[in-house]
Amino acid sequence: MSDAVIQVKGLKNQFGSHVVHDNLDLTIQRGDITGIVGGSGSGKSVLMRSIIGLQRPVAGTIEMLGETVGPNGIQRGSLLSRKMGVLFQSGALLSSLTVLENIAMPLLEHTDIAKSDALRLAKTKLALVGLPAHAAGLFPSELSGGMVKRAALARALALEPELLFLDEPTAGLDPISAAAFDDLLVTLRNALGFTVFLVTHDLDTLYHSCDRVAVIAEKRIIIHDTLEQVAAFDHPWLKDYFHGPRGRAAASISRQNKER
């Protein structure tokens, strides 16, 4: 029996005359961290937005956790939306709320628990992502880039989702902070068992965190396989991506880490 948690079939996204995706198929298996890669403008974030219901496709079907994503998107407050957490590239924390209030927000929006209980649960998520206790009372403008990403991750995990969607989570971070985030993601996935849909361009993240990689090119998924198989795939963009200087460096670091 298939253990697919996301199934995309025949997806087409189009803006005016510009076709972003055409007959795109993708299946994500439960428990995997799947990296979504592709060139600039290939539609990585558009694909994610289509799956979570923020972008209405022209054609195709999307099923998530056995439920079809409707033509008007997933309705706010629906059971399905409670089963997924989303971390957007900027973090998208509300500047007028403290970190703790930002983390508690999904609990207050999607459950009937009291605010005091929501804040208490938010403190556990704060600790889960490795933020110090004093960060709870800070505002987003007072956080470093790495802390913003961790706070946004804590908010995405507030409802203990089965699916986690991350859009370029290490973008803008220094290498040390990015590596720490990658470590955290793998640790939490192993401990909590959620499935991850990860849009990224970061080769270090792919080598460190991803079980499988899906590549968008020519308006569709041209390969979805293990990193080793994807890196060996005969396609011009993939050759440049994986076998250029940055790709060779990331592969070398990955080999060194595995030998330790």
Side-chain angles (χ1 to χ4, degrees):
M1 183 178 67
S2 172
D3 204 19
V5 292
I6 299 173
Q7 289 187 298
V8 180
K9 297 179 181 178
L11 187 73
K12 183 175 184 179
N13 276 305
Q14 183 172 349
F15 301 96
S17 61
H18 177 56
V19 177
V20 180
H21 304 133
D22 192 13
N23 201 31
L24 183 150
D25 297 333
L26 177 64
T27 299
I28 304 294
Q29 299 296 324
R30 186 177 302 277
D32 277 355
I33 298 178
T34 300
I36 310 298
V37 302
S40 178
S42 60
K44 301 182 293 294
S45 295
V46 173
L47 174 58
M48 188 186 94
R49 292 173 62 86
S50 297
I51 294 172
I52 65 177
L54 297 179
Q55 166 66 35
R56 183 174 179 176
V58 174
T61 61
I62 300 170
E63 288 188 4
M64 185 159 55
L65 299 171
E67 184 174 335
T68 300
V69 178
N72 296 315
I74 300 167
Q75 296 301 309
R76 192 174 192 174
S78 73
L79 179 61
L80 186 55
S81 67
R82 299 181 199 183
K83 294 181 179 180
M84 66 179 187
V86 183
L87 191 162
F88 293 103
Q89 184 173 340
S90 65
L93 298 176
L94 296 180
S95 60
S96 61
L97 300 181
T98 65
V99 167
L100 196 66
E101 290 169 336
N102 266 284
I103 298 171
M105 186 173 60
L107 292 162
L108 295 172
E109 286 188 342
H110 295 291
T111 73
D112 296 324
I113 66 173
K115 183 175 182 179
S116 58
D117 291 330
L119 292 173
R120 178 177 54 80
L121 289 171
K123 287 182 180 179
T124 67
K125 304 303 180 184
L126 187 81
L128 188 67
V129 300
L131 283 172
H134 78 269
L138 299 179
F139 288 91
S141 62
E142 299 175 294
L143 303 178
S144 68
M147 293 176 74
V148 166
K149 295 298 176 75
R150 286 175 182 254
L153 178 61
R155 185 180 61 184
L157 294 173
L159 293 169
E160 300 183 358
E162 294 182 45
L163 284 168
L164 187 63
F165 293 87
L166 309 179
D167 191 1
E168 300 281 8
T170 58
L173 298 183
D174 64 85
I176 294 175
S177 297
F181 188 94
D182 290 340
D183 283 336
L184 175 64
L185 178 62
V186 173
T187 298
L188 291 176
R189 187 283 304 267
N190 292 344
L192 302 177
F194 50 71
T195 304
V196 182
F197 182 101
L198 171 62
V199 173
T200 188
H201 68 276
D202 192 327
L203 282 154
D204 291 324
T205 295
L206 291 179
Y207 276 100
H208 183 80
S209 304
C210 295
D211 301 297
R212 297 172 70 82
V213 177
V215 182
I216 304 179
E218 301 159 15
K219 301 181 177 62
R220 59 188 178 87
I221 300 294
I222 60 170
I223 183 171
H224 177 203
D225 211 322
T226 62
L227 183 60
E228 291 75 14
Q229 292 297 317
V230 170
F233 191 69
D234 187 12
H235 187 276
W237 185 83
L238 283 172
K239 288 182 178 179
D240 290 341
Y241 184 62
F242 281 104
H243 303 293
R246 292 182 61 192
R248 291 195 300 270
S252 177
I253 292 170
S254 176
R255 285 194 298 269
Q256 292 173 20
N257 289 336
K258 289 177 181 178
E259 292 169 357
R260 290 175 182 173

